[in-house]
Amino acid sequence: MRPADLALEHGISTQAVRNYEQSGFLPPAERTTSGYRVYTEVHAAALRAFIALIPAFGHSTAGQIMNAIHSGSLDDVLLTIDRGHEQHLRDRETLDSVSRAVHDLTDFEPVLEPRTIGELAHRLGVTPATLRAWEEAGILRPDREPTGYRVFRAEDVRDAELAHLLRRGGYPLARIALVVQQIRTAGGTDTLGAALTDWRRRLTAQGLAMLAASARLNEYLSARAPAAPSARPPGETA
């Protein structure tokens, strides 16, 4: 198979195929005496797996998975996939939590102890600088202790969880600030409802992509496995 044969299936350029090989996303190709690359069905299976991994885990993580396969680090492959599923589950749980809060905004009852900026950053998996940026954008409005340290109460934690969710969904800070303001005032929630519906659709699409990627990855790993020796007909000797 030529680079063009692999590229045609996915609507990408032949240069992209060469770049993927150079980056270790595909196994090294054999070369003809004149220097042309020669690909096989194993390379085709590798490309299918890589392309399927991108919508499931992102381009960078997809590349890490393929590199780990080609370096023989199957444990790293599985660990990376597990972490992706863990983040996907957390996103779903956060989305469900925010969705429930939308139905009863005016009766929101604080249930969390106040958090410092470091504690809240750790909870969300972001940096304190990110939380300060959200505060500057009007998304968060923490109280201040006499010493000047920020104190994030239950409502602030809720707003931060929502901001984190929407940022992962690709929403700009200005739009997130508008959504959070709607929650604070218990006003119209059309913008919030549309944002949550869109993010749920994305999570569903990602979950299905994870299933498809698992199938393609399994096909590629099977294609890489050494073929079992075929059984000889009865009476045949070696």
Side-chain angles (χ1 to χ4, degrees):
M1 304 177 72
R2 303 166 301 166
D5 298 324
L6 270 67
L8 182 62
E9 179 180 347
H10 304 284
I12 60 178
S13 68
T14 55
Q15 185 58 50
V17 175
R18 299 187 190 99
N19 291 342
Y20 292 159
E21 180 192 346
Q22 184 177 6
S23 298
F25 306 158
L26 306 181
E30 296 292 336
R31 299 274 187 153
T32 65
T33 54
S34 55
Y36 290 102
R37 290 176 172 83
V38 178
Y39 293 115
T40 67
E41 276 297 331
V42 172
H43 295 90
L47 184 57
R48 293 185 193 111
F50 175 66
I51 295 295
L53 285 166
I54 294 174
F57 300 97
H59 191 282
S60 176
T61 301
Q64 293 173 17
I65 291 172
M66 298 305 292
N67 279 319
I69 290 175
H70 298 144
S71 66
S73 304
L74 187 57
D75 284 344
D76 289 341
V77 172
L78 299 176
L79 181 59
T80 301
I81 292 174
D82 287 345
R83 285 173 174 164
H85 283 283
E86 182 181 26
Q87 181 62 61
H88 189 260
L89 176 60
R90 176 174 172 79
D91 286 347
R92 282 193 172 279
E93 291 174 340
T94 302
L95 175 59
D96 289 340
S97 177
V98 173
S99 296
R100 288 192 298 269
V102 170
H103 293 295
D104 202 10
L105 293 175
T106 57
D107 293 332
F108 180 83
E109 296 182 2
V111 295
L112 299 174
E113 294 295 326
R115 301 295 181 97
T116 66
I117 191 170
E119 291 170 340
L120 182 55
H122 178 74
R123 171 186 174 89
L124 298 177
V126 301
T127 65
T130 296
L131 296 181
R132 286 192 287 268
W134 293 354
E135 181 181 357
E136 292 176 3
I139 296 171
L140 302 179
R141 297 190 305 190
D143 291 335
R144 296 274 186 159
E145 293 181 340
T147 56
Y149 288 106
R150 295 171 175 83
V151 177
F152 295 86
R153 306 194 185 282
E155 293 85 352
D156 303 311
V157 174
R158 176 204 62 197
D159 294 345
E161 289 276 11
L162 176 59
H164 188 228
L165 172 68
L166 296 180
R167 282 299 284 167
R168 286 184 55 80
Y171 290 91
L173 294 180
R175 185 174 179 184
I176 295 174
L178 175 62
V179 171
V180 171
Q181 180 62 29
Q182 289 180 332
I183 289 184
R184 290 195 189 114
T185 60
T189 58
D190 290 344
T191 301
L192 177 60
L196 295 179
T197 298
D198 181 60
W199 185 236
R200 189 176 297 280
R201 177 187 59 78
R202 295 188 189 194
L203 284 177
T204 297
Q206 183 186 17
L208 293 174
M210 286 177 167
L211 291 177
S214 295
R216 288 299 191 186
L217 198 58
N218 183 62
E219 290 172 3
Y220 177 48
L221 292 174
S222 298
R224 283 173 52 86
S230 58
R232 297 188 180 90
E236 182 178 329
T237 59

